[in-house]
């Protein structure tokens, strides 16, 4: 339940924001209602779909299920950035892709989507400066391995040893409102479901997560 509630937080907030916007437009500016509805409906569908996939993943975690598939990594990450678009805009964050447009991964798309949801949201919570905020996601292949690097300039992780950030109920967020399970979920998904590994290190004025599949 803790895993699911953590993964549902942002898409559920996104759906709620869309509904509130539609209610306001319907009441005060009905002439724009259809136009607004057509824009918000796809975003709500994406949020609900991600929530369903999260629930399915955790409820059947120990079962053999689902077939791997080839999916476009940039498209998958873009779906997550749409869900988090309000926070990205508010924090003035630029998302940089150092990924070939046709770069595909053979695996479980919804699992990687959940991983990037946690990583991007953690960065958004950590940014404190008002400009030049960025997140850079890059990929490369070395023989049979796919390496994904996620980097931000949100100040880095203060916890020592830094690897303890993957432990349950450990949070680097200063406001202490975090449940401290997000990165623990990420490590579990990478190790147990993707048969990969993840490591973290501070770099310059931020953090770098490296996922090896």
């Amino acid at each position: 339940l803790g895993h699911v509630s953590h993964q549902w937080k942002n898409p559920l907030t996104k759906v709620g924001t869309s509904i509130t916007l539609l209610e306001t437009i319907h009441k005060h500016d009905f002439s724009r209602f259809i136009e607004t509805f057509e824009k918000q409906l796809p975003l709500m569908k994406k949020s609900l779909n991600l929530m369903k996939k999260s629930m399915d993943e955790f409820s059947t975690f120990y079962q053999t299920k689902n077939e791997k598939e080839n999916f476009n990594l940039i498209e998958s990450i873009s779906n997550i950035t749409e869900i988090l678009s309000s926070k990205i805009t508010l924090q003035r964050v630029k998302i940089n892709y150092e990924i070939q447009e046709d770069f595909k991964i053979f695996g479980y798309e919804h699992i990687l989507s959940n991983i990037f949801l946690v990583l991007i949201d953690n960065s958004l919570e950590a940014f404190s400066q008002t400009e030049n905020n960025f997140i850079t996601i890059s990929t490369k292949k070395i023989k049979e391995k796919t390496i994904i690097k996620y980097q931000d300039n949100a100040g880095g992780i203060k916890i020592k040893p830094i690897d303890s950030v993957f432990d349950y109920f450990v949070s680097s967020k200063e406001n202490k409102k975090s449940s401290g399970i997000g990165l623990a979920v990420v490590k579990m998904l990478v190790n147990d479901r993707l048969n990969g590994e993840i490591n973290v290190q501070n770099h310059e004025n931020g953090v770098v997560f490296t996922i090896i599949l």
Side-chain angles (χ1 to χ4, degrees):
L1 287 174
H3 297 330
V4 174
S5 64
H6 188 274
Q7 302 296 70
W8 276 23
K9 180 178 64 175
N10 288 296
L12 189 60
T13 299
K14 187 72 175 181
V15 171
T17 301
S18 295
I19 291 173
T20 301
L21 175 63
L22 290 171
E23 288 177 335
T24 302
I25 295 294
H26 185 272
K27 185 175 182 180
H28 298 288
D29 191 4
F30 189 75
S31 62
R32 292 178 52 220
F33 182 78
I34 299 299
E35 175 189 358
T36 306
F37 178 80
E38 290 177 345
K39 289 181 180 179
Q40 293 299 315
L41 184 60
L43 298 179
M44 289 191 287
K45 284 183 175 180
K46 285 181 180 179
S47 295
L48 291 171
N49 190 45
L50 183 62
M51 291 167 66
K52 180 183 182 301
K53 286 181 177 180
S54 296
M55 183 173 63
D56 290 344
E57 173 59 30
F58 287 119
S59 64
T60 58
F61 182 79
Y62 292 105
Q63 299 178 18
T64 300
K65 71 172 194 71
N66 293 338
E67 294 293 328
K68 291 183 177 181
E69 58 183 347
N70 281 303
F71 60 91
N72 185 289
L73 183 60
I74 292 181
E75 289 180 3
S76 299
I77 299 173
S78 294
N79 289 336
I80 299 303
T81 58
E82 283 189 26
I83 292 173
L84 298 173
S85 59
S86 297
K87 294 178 76 172
I88 290 172
T89 301
L90 183 65
Q91 296 285 48
R92 302 180 183 179
V93 176
K94 181 180 180 181
I95 309 289
N96 303 311
Y97 296 105
E98 296 178 357
I99 306 172
Q100 293 181 343
E101 290 187 7
D102 60 349
F103 188 90
K104 291 188 176 182
I105 288 180
F106 182 67
Y108 301 109
E109 180 178 12
H110 58 290
I111 294 179
L112 266 178
S113 294
N114 280 314
I115 289 168
F116 278 105
L117 176 63
V118 173
L119 295 180
I120 295 173
D121 187 52
N122 279 359
S123 293
L124 295 175
E125 292 285 339
F127 281 117
S128 58
Q129 57 197 55
T130 57
E131 58 184 17
N132 299 322
N133 295 327
F134 72 82
I135 293 170
T136 299
I137 303 168
S138 62
T139 59
K140 62 180 178 181
K141 288 196 173 184
I142 300 178
K143 295 183 179 180
E144 299 299 317
K145 294 183 178 181
T146 297
I147 299 174
I148 305 172
K149 283 198 173 184
Y150 175 97
Q151 180 176 356
D152 67 25
N153 64 337
I157 294 174
K158 308 298 191 295
I159 294 173
K160 294 182 180 181
I162 193 170
D163 285 342
S164 64
V165 77
F166 292 119
D167 295 341
Y168 280 92
F169 309 115
V170 172
S171 174
S172 62
K173 298 177 183 178
E174 295 181 359
N175 58 19
K176 300 302 180 183
K177 292 181 179 179
S178 168
S179 62
I181 65 173
L183 289 175
V185 169
V186 165
K187 186 175 180 65
M188 175 187 69
L189 291 176
V190 172
N191 291 351
D192 298 344
R193 297 295 287 152
L194 301 181
N195 296 319
E197 59 184 273
I198 183 171
N199 58 65
V200 60
Q201 63 183 26
N202 286 321
H203 178 70
E204 295 180 353
N205 190 36
V207 65
V208 178
F209 289 95
T210 303
I211 300 172
I212 303 172
L213 306 177

